[in-house]
Amino acid sequence: MADPGASTVQQQLYPHPPPYFKLYRGDADGSAERPFPPPPPPPVSGEYVLFGEVHTSEAGDPPLHAAQLYNQAADGSIDFKAELHALHGELIAGICDLLGALESQPSTYARSVEALGVILRNMQHLSRLLRPFQARETLIATLQEEVAHRRACATELDKLAQESAASSHVQLLKDALIRALGQGPALGEEAAVAGDPEQKPGGVRELQSNLEAKA
C-alpha cells in the first residue's frame, strides 16, 4: 500500500504554477467576464533589497559593501592585474584556512567563511570596474575585424577588375587583328561562318589566303 504522505511530499516538491497567468488573456475586452489585466507595479527607485543584497536603481557602479582589500593610487587608478592576482592568492589561503578550521575547530568555520566572502566581494567589485575596459577592447577587436574584411573584399574586387580589364584588352587586340587582316565577317554572315571552324575569323585557310593576297 502506498504511503499517503508521499503524494503530499511530491506536491510540495513540484507545486502548481502561480495563478497569476489567469489574469492575462488574449480576449480581454474590459468587461466583467473578460477584464483587462492589472497594471504593472511602479518601477523601483533608490535602494532595494534583492536576494539579501542591497541594490540601487541609479546608474553607475554599485559601492563595495565590504572592507576594501585592494590598493588604489592617489589619482584613483588601480592595477587590476596585480590586485586580482593578489586577491586570488588570498582566496586560496582562505580556503586552506577554512579546511584547517573544519578539521581542527569546526565551531570557528564561520569566521573563515566571512573572510572568504570579503575577498570574493572585492574580486567581484574589481571585475565590475573592468567592464568599461572590456567594452572598449571588444569594440576595437570588432572594428579591426570589420576593417580586415573590407580590405579583403577590396583586394578581391581589384583582382577581378584587373582580370576583366586584361580580358577586354585581349578581345580588343583580337578584333583589331581581324579588322587589319580583313577577316571580319558581316553581321549577316556570322550564322553561316559559325558552322565551319576554318571559316571563322582567324581561321587557317582565310589567314593564308589573305597573306598571299597582300604579298
Side-chain angles (χ1 to χ4, degrees):
M1 183 176 180
D3 186 5
S7 60
T8 305
V9 173
Q10 187 175 4
Q11 290 177 2
Q12 293 177 356
L13 291 176
Y14 303 100
H16 294 287
Y20 303 118
F21 72 92
K22 298 179 180 179
L23 301 176
Y24 301 90
R25 49 191 303 170
D27 58 348
D29 56 2
S31 61
E33 295 79 10
R34 296 188 294 271
F36 290 117
V44 179
S45 60
E47 293 185 350
Y48 60 94
V49 179
L50 181 63
F51 299 116
E53 296 287 340
V54 179
H55 301 271
T56 179
S57 60
E58 298 178 357
D61 296 325
L64 176 62
H65 297 287
Q68 180 174 333
L69 302 180
Y70 58 88
N71 297 320
Q72 190 171 4
D75 57 353
S77 60
I78 302 173
D79 188 355
F80 291 97
K81 182 177 180 180
E83 296 301 328
L84 285 173
H85 191 275
L87 288 174
H88 185 263
E90 294 183 11
L91 180 64
I92 295 176
I95 293 175
C96 294
D97 292 340
L98 176 60
L99 294 176
L102 291 175
E103 181 182 1
S104 59
Q105 297 178 347
S107 60
T108 62
Y109 78 94
R111 184 175 57 186
S112 300
V113 172
E114 184 179 356
L116 289 177
V118 174
I119 296 174
L120 290 173
R121 285 186 176 88
N122 278 265
M123 296 179 72
Q124 183 183 22
H125 185 69
L126 289 178
S127 299
R128 288 199 192 104
L129 297 180
L130 277 173
R131 291 297 184 186
F133 300 96
Q134 180 187 11
R136 179 175 178 272
E137 294 299 326
T138 303
L139 179 61
I140 290 175
T142 303
L143 292 177
Q144 287 178 347
E145 183 178 355
E146 183 178 352
V147 169
H149 178 68
R150 292 189 177 185
R151 287 179 176 175
C153 292
T155 303
E156 185 68 21
L157 289 175
D158 187 36
K159 180 180 178 182
L160 292 175
Q162 291 179 359
E163 292 178 355
S164 177
S167 176
S168 300
H169 292 162
V170 171
Q171 186 64 36
L172 291 175
L173 182 59
K174 288 175 64 177
D175 294 342
L177 288 175
I178 292 173
R179 287 194 299 270
L181 296 175
Q183 296 177 6
L187 185 61
E189 299 176 355
E190 292 182 356
V193 173
D196 188 359
E198 293 186 353
Q199 296 298 327
K200 291 182 179 179
V204 177
R205 185 175 299 174
E206 289 192 5
L207 182 60
Q208 291 179 350
S209 61
N210 288 327
L211 289 175
E212 291 176 356
K214 290 181 180 296

